[in-house]
Amino acid sequence: MTKNEGRVCGCRCGGIPARGKFLPGHDSKIVPQLEADHGSLIAFWAWYEKAMTGTSSGPQAS
């Protein structure tokens, strides 16, 4: 098994990074993807906080 076998880019493009978790520049795609998946960064943070702690004390998305 090679060092990169089974690893795909963290932005979901399907590419295989030579090092790290992303192809060069693809880490910048994460914020827009989170906004698309959750409606806003505030909604993502509320989801994340609830998933990690079971509570949500941050601002609520409108």
Side-chain angles (χ1 to χ4, degrees):
M1 181 153 87
T2 66
K3 178 177 154 184
N4 294 332
E5 192 171 330
R7 185 184 334 172
V8 295
C9 185
C11 81
R12 305 177 195 164
C13 73
I16 299 173
R19 296 184 303 200
K21 297 179 192 246
F22 298 93
L23 289 168
H26 286 215
D27 56 332
S28 65
K29 296 179 178 184
I30 295 300
V31 171
Q33 187 62 52
L34 291 173
E35 290 177 319
D37 290 349
H38 296 276
S40 71
L41 289 178
I42 291 172
F44 164 73
W45 187 252
W47 169 85
Y48 177 82
E49 189 174 48
K50 185 175 182 182
M52 294 295 114
T53 66
T55 63
S56 179
S57 60
Q60 299 300 309
S62 52

